Amino acid sequence: MNTEDLRLRFDYIENEFCRYLKKRKQSNYEVSIKELHKEILEFCDNVSPTQAEKTMRNEAVQRIRSVINSKWPRADVRVFGSFNTGLYLPTSDIDLVVFGHEFDLTNWDVRQELGEALRKIAAPGSFTILYHIPVPIVKFRDKESEVNIDISFNLDSGLKSADKVKTYLRQYPILEKMILVTKQFLLQRNLNEVYTGGVGSYSLTLMIVSFFQQCHRSELQGGNLGALLLKFFNHYKEFDYTHKTIRLDGTGYCSSSMYNNALYIIDPVDPEHKIKVTWDMWRFKHAFKSAHDTLTGALESEGTSFLNSVVSVSAEVKSYRRRVQEKWGHAVSGYHNSQLHSNTTTTGFYNFHGLKMAKFN
């Protein structure tokens, strides 16, 4: 065999080996992305509210309603936000709106009366009234449940937004799980509060729906949540925040060069209203870039847990859920109670130190 034949033979072997490695890598990636899908399902099952948590929150709302109605009998207290839609994490706030002509927070006497009434059930030092902002709100932490409460007044936009979210949930069955996992992702990075440069729950929902509108139908109908999450991170990692405003009327986007490099969404409830998603969009974009790169690396490394590389639940939250279970668990079924103390060995997202955490942990 001459030199040329040897070279051709070597090139053939090298090409075949490269094709083999590529095929093997693709096969490993497909296995990993399926495992990530399972981890997302398990995560959502673990963070979804237990009966004890639902009871606790309902009691908190009723307690606040009773306090307000004892002072203002004709006031109408309504729930909106994530507790209304069911898309709340274990430590999510409860959003309430109170309707009544008496509630003018620019009036000092009204603020005093509200403070006297609600401080009775607020944790010490947690009560505050933000009345200099465009939408004045009362904020405090409920003493008994430890849940943070936000109360606004005489605005029905939150109720309309909640109804719109429910419409999207019916339209996209996988939306709920995408919201839960991305909400936890933002919560871990302190990007879940608008006033700190984060993104509110409603805006996040609209961002996910906008992303879904760019996906092929097959990706959404029985698709892989792992692949969708990775694509979602990449979508907003590459998104042109400087020149695009998100719209959900089927046209996709419109120009936003006039909005000074801030991300805006045209509110589908009120098309005349543009929602400013975040004022710290570079930090926001960096978070998605980091998540995409980290998760991609985890998938390629074939680690024991992929989702855990970008999303986790703190020990404090697990401890809080145990306290809730112990205090309100009388309304929980035997199945839930048995699962609370279970040490099942199923592998998955919450496999820490060889112990699979129960739903309540």
Side-chain angles (χ1 to χ4, degrees):
M1 185 176 291
N2 58 37
T3 303
E4 181 63 18
D5 289 338
L6 285 172
R7 187 186 65 80
L8 291 174
R9 181 65 176 170
F10 177 79
D11 288 346
Y12 172 78
I13 293 173
E14 182 180 39
N15 290 336
E16 285 298 304
F17 184 65
C18 288
R19 278 194 289 268
Y20 164 76
L21 291 177
K22 184 176 180 181
K23 185 177 180 180
R24 181 178 176 180
K25 184 177 181 180
Q26 179 64 28
S27 177
N28 290 341
Y29 177 83
E30 290 173 358
V31 171
S32 297
I33 207 75
K34 288 178 181 178
E35 186 60 33
L36 176 59
H37 172 82
K38 294 178 183 177
E39 290 178 3
I40 293 173
L41 293 177
E42 184 178 351
F43 168 81
C44 293
D45 179 63
N46 274 275
V47 300
S48 62
T50 67
Q51 188 58 50
E53 290 168 333
K54 293 176 184 177
T55 299
M56 176 199 71
R57 286 173 176 265
N58 282 323
E59 287 184 6
V61 170
Q62 186 55 45
R63 190 160 45 248
I64 296 165
R65 182 177 284 121
S66 297
V67 168
I68 291 176
N69 286 148
S70 67
K71 184 74 175 178
W72 298 278
R74 300 182 65 181
D76 182 16
V77 182
R78 308 278 293 278
V79 179
F80 69 100
S82 61
F83 190 41
N84 180 301
T85 60
L87 300 171
Y88 57 95
L89 296 172
T91 58
S92 291
D93 299 352
I94 294 178
D95 297 303
L96 302 174
V97 58
V98 180
F99 295 96
H101 68 276
E102 307 94 336
F103 301 105
D104 177 9
L105 293 193
T106 62
N107 186 306
W108 186 87
D109 291 331
V110 172
R111 297 200 301 272
Q112 283 295 104
E113 289 182 292
L114 274 170
E116 290 175 6
L118 293 172
R119 278 191 177 92
K120 298 174 184 176
I121 60 173
S126 68
F127 185 89
T128 185
I129 301 179
L130 306 177
Y131 60 92
H132 289 306
I133 60 178
V135 181
I137 58 174
V138 169
K139 297 175 73 72
F140 65 94
R141 187 171 70 257
D142 179 54
K143 183 164 47 180
E144 186 167 348
S145 67
E146 304 178 48
V147 173
N148 290 317
I149 309 294
D150 287 355
I151 305 177
S152 56
F153 299 86
N154 298 316
L155 289 172
D156 64 355
S157 57
L159 297 172
K160 292 179 179 178
S161 298
D163 288 340
K164 190 65 177 178
V165 170
K166 290 175 184 176
T167 299
Y168 288 134
L169 287 170
R170 290 190 292 270
Q171 184 177 355
Y172 300 105
I174 63 172
L175 177 60
E176 176 185 5
K177 292 176 175 57
M178 282 289 288
I179 290 174
L180 289 176
V181 73
T182 50
K183 282 184 75 168
Q184 181 65 30
F185 167 79
L186 294 176
L187 174 65
Q188 285 178 235
R189 291 156 180 80
N190 295 317
L191 282 169
N192 61 312
E193 294 285 356
V194 176
Y195 68 89
T196 62
V199 179
S201 179
Y202 181 53
S203 294
L204 176 62
T205 300
L206 298 183
M207 289 177 65
I208 296 172
V209 171
S210 173
F211 164 70
F212 282 174
Q213 290 179 347
Q214 314 305 313
C215 293
H216 192 275
R217 184 178 299 178
S218 62
E219 295 179 274
L220 305 178
Q221 295 178 345
N224 183 293
L225 284 165
L228 280 173
L229 180 63
L230 191 64
K231 188 174 180 179
F232 172 80
F233 285 145
N234 186 66
H235 179 76
Y236 284 106
K237 161 191 166 185
E238 302 293 341
F239 191 82
D240 184 0
Y241 292 83
T242 304
H243 300 104
K244 286 183 178 180
T245 287
I246 295 173
R247 58 194 306 167
L248 293 94
D249 59 359
T251 58
Y253 311 103
C254 61
S255 172
S256 65
S257 58
M258 60 184 292
Y259 298 125
N260 301 318
N261 297 335
L263 177 60
Y264 282 79
I265 300 176
I266 296 177
D267 190 349
V269 172
D270 178 12
E272 297 301 315
H273 175 227
K274 295 179 180 65
I275 303 169
K276 188 174 184 178
V277 176
T278 175
W279 53 263
D280 194 359
M281 69 174 190
W282 299 118
R283 177 172 165 235
F284 188 68
K285 184 173 183 175
H286 175 75
F288 283 118
K289 180 183 184 304
S290 176
H292 176 267
D293 296 347
T294 300
L295 190 54
T296 299
L299 290 167
E300 291 175 351
S301 68
E302 303 177 47
T304 56
S305 175
F306 305 113
L307 187 59
N308 200 32
S309 66
V310 292
V311 174
S312 62
V313 178
S314 70
E316 290 79 10
V317 171
K318 296 171 191 174
S319 176
Y320 170 66
R321 299 190 83 187
R322 292 189 190 99
R323 295 197 303 273
V324 171
Q325 180 63 25
E326 290 167 1
K327 191 169 184 177
W328 283 272
H330 59 275
V332 180
S333 69
Y335 165 77
H336 287 107
N337 280 318
S338 65
Q339 193 177 19
L340 172 61
H341 301 289
S342 168
N343 287 343
T344 176
T345 57
T346 304
T347 58
F349 176 71
Y350 282 106
N351 192 350
F352 294 112
H353 308 297
L355 174 65
K356 171 76 157 60
M357 303 305 295
K359 182 171 184 173
F360 308 96
N361 290 8

